[in-house]
Amino acid sequence: MSAFARGSLLGIEHLQAEEITGLLQLARRMQRGQPRPVLRGKTVGLVFYEASTRTRTSFEMAAKKLGALTLLVHASGSSIEKGESLLDTGYTLRAVGCDALVFRHPNAGAPHLIAAHLDVPIINAGDGMHEHPSQALLDAYTILQHMKDLRGKHMAIVGDIYHSRVARSNIHLLSKFGVQLTLCGPPEFVPETAATLAKGLRIARHLEEAIRGADVIMLLRVQKERLAEMQFDVGEYIARYQLTSARLRLAKPGALVMHPGPIIRGMELSSEVADAPQAVIREEVRNGVLVRMAILARALGKSK
Amino acid sequence: MSKGNSKPGSLLVRGGRVIDPLARVDAELDLLLRDGRVAEVSPPKKIRGSADETFDARGLIVAPGFIDLHVHLREPGQAYKETIATGTAAAAAGGFTSVCAMPNTVPVNDSPEITAWILQPERGAVVNVFPIAAATRGSLGEHLTDFRALQRAGAVAFTDDGKPILNPGLMQEALRLSSELHVPVIQHAEDTRQTGGCSMHEGPTAFRLGLRGMTAEAEASVIERDVQAAQATGGHYHVAHLSTAESLKAVRRGKRAHVQITCETTPHHFALTDEDVGEYNTNFKMNPPLRSAADREALQVALADGTVDAIATDHAPHALHEKQVEFERAAFGIIGLETAVGLVITKLHRERAVPLSRIVELFSSGPARVIGLKSRGSLQRGYHADVTIFDPKARWTYDVRKSRSLARNSPFDGCHLTGRVLATIIGGRMVYKQS
């Protein structure tokens, strides 16, 4: 992996805990006062092969706050539609003058391919079912605003973990910091192999078991199409896995409720839980800008 | 089968250790090749008269020419990936004297005309080419091809490789013809109804990389079903590139029940595992995919104990632009002709102490028996003068840039291997010599 340009962020898996801590500290510095335009004169390409609202706007806001120009490229209405290869799109954006590229792509590993061939930092903004590193970083940032330390904390990740890049990045990150993680969902969403992703992972098939005494509950979006694919009745899913106020009482008092969004009220969580004071879903979004500022500053070597 | 332009003269291969499993020979012998055939096999220095040429094989293994049952030569239609000339040149450099050409060309080899075209001398084949024809028209899985006419044109087996025959009635019909015509029906065993969108083996690595995985069960279930059809019809069923422990169990059960079932496995499946995919290296993407360590172990055991009948490379050349793309979009397949012998010697002989005689069997008499090749796969008098000469102790490093194949999609670039082919002789003529 050493061939990738410095400052690239392809995933959490291969990051050292110190690098993560460094990024979170940098994000904290971004929070204070007016950010300095350390990326003035730089251009950040935002290449989105998949629809995205929060991640795209969040990266765009982060880049602009640091004084960078942004170039937004969507799959539709670009050469990508005409059959240009991923690499050629990358070469083109490099030639146009991008100093860093933020990539969202439906195929796992797409940013790795680009990073192996380009001399600019590549930032993974979500690749297929693989990783979504900036999301995991902003989640850690959010938890740490409410707790001093991650070590020894109990946390449940509930929902469609198999298809979730957010889950994979979070599992890698939180495991590196000694969080005791329980993955919860039916076998189609949480296969036994999920437990091999990191050391010490537990799998629970019942929501009650997973969240009892938890410090943090992270919910994932559940797509109705996916439930249909695995012939899982929506009503049954809701009955077994929806986080309701009653169930939330099983967790530690004040336990954080997190969700990478977009949330589907009435599906993975009740509307009451979504609006509960301990739900930090909008806080996550806000912190996303800070964390992405840190990621971009690090990518372009202006982290001091 | 191209023999080249010059009429073969005589060649004396002197002083080598001849390993000929079919003839139960493993001894230091001289070998006289004349007029394209084996003329004499005798103890050292007993051969009288002179030969036009002599090859000093002292310290080397002299084996019946190696036969690869599973090669994609890409012609007609995909000469940008490989041609019959370049693919067979790579085969010669890898020690193969005969290769079976898979029918998934463009158009598919489903007619006697295409089969004949593949065999024309104009194709420039360096080694013997034995076409395998499509089992169904266009490999669409609907109507069987004309097995008889294709066999007359030179086809040695039938398969829809890459597009498994999942219709049980069709497989039964194919196997009935197989029993009549004494040709194998080769199955790429994959229940594609279970593997849509999958790009590697189902397991921890696939989960880690966020890639959809093919289960081992999707391979074994097809074999289990087909074995019953082979039993019912008396046809000869051959499993291509078998890759899992479960599948081996199905083959063993079939063999114990005296079903005509044979199987091949590839060097990459017994040398690598799914973990080797690393961070989306597309040169480790093939179908069937690299499997678990337990599967690899089971394959090595089955190669040693006789369950596996042949080693085949599944040489599958692709152009760079078909591999330098997103992992899930990359073409399946790797090249393998030039690395097979080195991998087998390194992984099976040196690391696992599988005797050389067994290894030679897996490369020669084993595959010859699968496709019923006459007078090949052994070095008895009167057999074709196809010979592979290798040094089981030579160490070398594979450099894919020097490959004779048009393609470069090998996972073994830069690998240090022990065991190297030094000469390949076809019909008594030296077609490759390691310099």
Side-chain angles (χ1 to χ4, degrees):
Chain A
M1 298 296 95
S2 54
F4 299 151
R6 275 187 59 197
S8 288
L9 178 64
L10 301 180
I12 299 292
E13 185 188 357
H14 300 293
L15 286 186
Q16 304 292 320
E18 302 81 67
E19 294 178 84
I20 293 167
T21 307
L23 270 166
L24 296 177
Q25 278 167 356
L26 186 56
R28 240 166 259 131
R29 286 211 293 279
M30 297 292 174
Q31 196 178 16
R32 289 185 216 119
Q34 201 58 16
R36 288 195 298 123
V38 291
L39 298 190
R40 181 169 288 155
K42 301 282 185 188
T43 304
V44 176
L46 305 167
V47 195
F48 279 72
Y49 282 68
E50 252 185 9
S52 157
T53 308
R54 76 205 63 227
T55 305
R56 180 178 57 72
T57 52
S58 179
F59 266 114
E60 192 171 354
M61 181 66 91
K64 286 185 166 147
K65 280 198 164 187
L66 294 174
L69 283 175
T70 56
L71 274 182
L72 184 61
V73 182
H74 282 294
S76 55
S78 71
S79 302
I80 296 163
E81 255 189 348
K82 300 173 192 160
E84 186 179 58
S85 77
L86 178 66
L87 270 184
D88 283 320
T89 301
Y91 291 140
T92 301
L93 292 169
R94 176 72 185 106
V96 161
C98 288
D99 299 293
L101 293 176
V102 176
F103 255 93
R104 158 69 60 95
H105 199 284
N107 288 130
H112 301 66
L113 174 69
I114 287 279
H117 290 89
L118 255 61
D119 60 348
V120 295
I122 304 299
I123 290 147
N124 182 1
D127 61 327
M129 310 192 308
H130 178 229
E131 281 223 44
H132 193 349
S134 63
Q135 178 72 38
L137 287 164
L138 73 88
D139 285 334
Y141 187 94
T142 306
I143 299 172
L144 286 168
Q145 283 187 318
H146 296 269
M147 303 167 190
K148 274 208 190 75
D149 194 7
L150 293 172
R151 192 157 300 279
K153 293 288 185 295
H154 286 261
M155 179 162 168
I157 303 182
V158 185
D160 186 359
I161 287 168
Y162 176 75
H163 293 100
S164 174
R165 52 193 171 212
V166 173
R168 283 181 181 76
S169 284
N170 263 304
I171 291 168
H172 285 307
L173 191 152
L174 297 164
S175 297
K176 285 178 203 284
F177 287 91
V179 173
Q180 304 208 357
L181 280 171
T182 303
L183 313 179
C184 179
E188 293 84 349
F189 282 174
V190 188
E192 295 295 328
T193 39
T196 62
L197 197 59
K199 282 205 181 84
L201 296 177
R202 278 196 333 130
I203 290 178
R205 299 294 175 207
H206 298 280
L207 183 60
E208 291 78 5
E209 181 195 341
I211 65 175
R212 187 162 286 125
D215 299 281
V216 182
I217 303 166
M218 179 179 289
L219 303 168
L220 301 171
R221 183 165 64 110
V222 171
Q223 290 176 268
K224 281 198 179 137
E225 314 85 74
R226 294 262 159 77
L227 285 172
E229 242 171 66
M230 51 189 246
Q231 287 159 359
F232 206 110
D233 182 64
V234 175
E236 193 194 336
Y237 186 86
I238 290 170
R240 290 182 57 187
Y241 293 105
Q242 185 182 81
L243 187 62
T244 58
S245 304
R247 282 176 170 150
L248 184 53
R249 280 193 283 277
L250 293 171
K252 276 221 182 101
L256 299 182
V257 176
M258 307 181 78
H259 194 304
I263 61 170
I264 312 293
R265 289 169 190 258
M267 186 71 182
E268 62 267 15
L269 77 176
S270 70
S271 209
E272 291 75 24
V273 169
D275 295 326
Q278 65 211 91
V280 292
I281 299 164
R282 283 184 290 275
E283 226 176 279
E284 291 173 75
V285 179
R286 202 156 39 241
N287 292 334
V289 178
L290 300 171
V291 163
R292 287 170 179 128
M293 284 165 76
I295 291 168
L296 290 172
R298 169 185 178 263
L300 292 168
K302 300 288 175 75
S303 55
K304 293 287 173 277
Chain B
M1 272 126 284
S2 161
K3 294 268 177 5
N5 299 323
S6 60
K7 191 181 182 297
S10 56
L11 173 62
L12 178 65
V13 179
R14 209 164 47 80
R17 176 178 160 197
V18 173
I19 298 181
D20 183 353
L22 193 68
R24 297 178 185 282
V25 166
D26 183 348
E28 206 171 290
L29 294 167
D30 286 353
L31 193 65
L32 181 66
L33 311 174
R34 192 191 292 133
D35 299 331
R37 298 279 174 159
V38 177
E40 220 176 319
V41 190
S42 299
K45 297 177 183 153
K46 296 281 186 208
I47 292 178
R48 290 161 198 276
S50 64
D52 299 341
E53 271 183 87
T54 302
F55 183 89
D56 182 358
R58 277 176 298 175
L60 305 177
I61 308 294
V62 176
F66 289 175
I67 300 161
D68 190 341
L69 293 175
H70 200 133
V71 172
H72 298 273
L73 294 176
R74 303 300 189 203
E75 275 192 308
Q78 293 179 314
Y80 70 95
K81 291 180 195 261
E82 188 84 288
T83 67
I84 290 172
T86 57
T88 54
F96 293 99
T97 56
S98 297
V99 297
C100 294
M102 281 290 161
N104 62 334
T105 47
V106 182
V108 167
N109 178 15
D110 60 1
S111 73
E113 291 73 27
I114 298 171
T115 302
W117 184 91
I118 290 167
L119 292 172
Q120 282 166 3
E122 290 85 340
R123 301 291 87 76
V126 183
V127 308
N128 306 310
V129 173
F130 295 99
I132 293 174
T136 67
R137 273 184 255 155
S139 284
L140 295 172
E142 286 162 13
H143 310 282
L144 288 185
T145 53
D146 187 343
F147 279 25
R148 269 188 197 83
L150 284 159
Q151 191 182 29
R152 270 197 303 274
V156 296
F158 296 90
T159 189
D160 281 350
D161 183 45
K163 293 183 176 168
I165 305 169
L166 297 178
N167 175 341
L170 208 60
M171 181 50 96
Q172 287 247 356
E173 218 182 310
L175 285 167
R176 246 192 305 276
L177 278 167
S178 150
S179 135
E180 243 173 75
L181 302 174
H182 305 287
V183 285
V185 172
I186 303 176
Q187 176 78 296
H188 167 119
E190 175 192 353
D191 189 341
T192 47
R193 291 163 297 197
Q194 296 177 40
T195 56
C198 297
S199 51
M200 70 175 293
H201 174 62
E202 169 67 31
T205 303
F207 189 86
R208 178 178 73 82
L209 294 174
L211 295 170
R212 286 166 204 278
M214 307 183 196
T215 61
E217 206 260 326
E219 178 177 289
S221 62
V222 172
I223 299 173
E224 269 159 28
R225 189 207 66 190
D226 290 346
V227 167
Q228 292 177 8
Q231 187 156 30
T233 56
H236 175 184
Y237 176 72
H238 178 74
V239 185
H241 44 50
L242 182 145
S243 69
T244 72
E246 277 303 303
S247 300
L248 285 167
K249 283 184 197 157
V251 168
R252 285 196 182 102
R253 273 197 298 273
K255 286 191 169 186
R256 268 199 302 274
H258 303 289
V259 178
Q260 251 204 94
I261 177 170
T262 53
C263 68
E264 70 194 29
T265 188
T266 74
H268 48 275
H269 283 111
F270 62 74
L272 302 171
T273 69
D274 58 343
E275 284 185 38
D276 293 306
V277 169
E279 301 295 301
Y280 307 99
N281 190 333
T282 57
N283 283 336
F284 291 75
K285 178 182 176 181
M286 69 291 287
N287 190 4
L290 296 173
R291 301 289 190 179
S292 71
D295 289 315
R296 177 179 62 178
E297 171 67 20
L299 287 181
Q300 293 193 0
V301 168
L303 280 155
D305 75 12
T307 306
V308 173
D309 298 275
I311 290 168
T313 64
D314 194 6
H315 176 82
H318 291 294
L320 191 58
H321 73 265
E322 295 167 313
K323 280 293 196 180
Q324 259 189 11
V325 293
E326 299 88 322
F327 192 87
E328 287 164 284
R329 298 179 64 180
F332 285 105
I334 60 165
I335 57 171
L337 287 164
E338 293 165 321
T339 46
V341 169
L343 286 165
V344 172
I345 302 284
T346 307
K347 296 288 169 186
L348 294 184
H349 179 56
R350 298 193 64 88
E351 291 177 15
R352 263 207 112 93
V354 175
L356 286 173
S357 59
R358 172 68 185 143
I359 283 166
V360 169
E361 184 182 15
L362 284 160
F363 272 128
S364 58
S365 52
R369 197 177 50 240
V370 170
I371 50 170
L373 276 192
K374 297 277 181 296
S375 307
R376 294 188 204 272
S378 176
L379 291 171
Q380 299 165 64
R381 248 178 81 175
Y383 269 60
H384 287 279
D386 294 352
V387 186
T388 299
I389 298 171
F390 64 97
D391 180 351
K393 296 200 173 89
R395 289 159 188 260
W396 61 294
T397 304
Y398 183 56
D399 180 354
V400 77
R401 287 166 305 179
K402 294 185 182 149
S403 173
R404 282 161 170 78
S405 166
L406 269 190
R408 296 290 178 264
N409 52 311
S410 168
F412 300 111
D413 186 31
C415 267
H416 303 297
L417 299 171
T418 305
R420 187 170 207 185
V421 172
L422 295 188
T424 307
I425 297 165
I426 295 169
R429 207 168 59 86
M430 185 94 61
V431 297
Y432 171 79
K433 196 172 173 183
Q434 159 64 29
S435 44

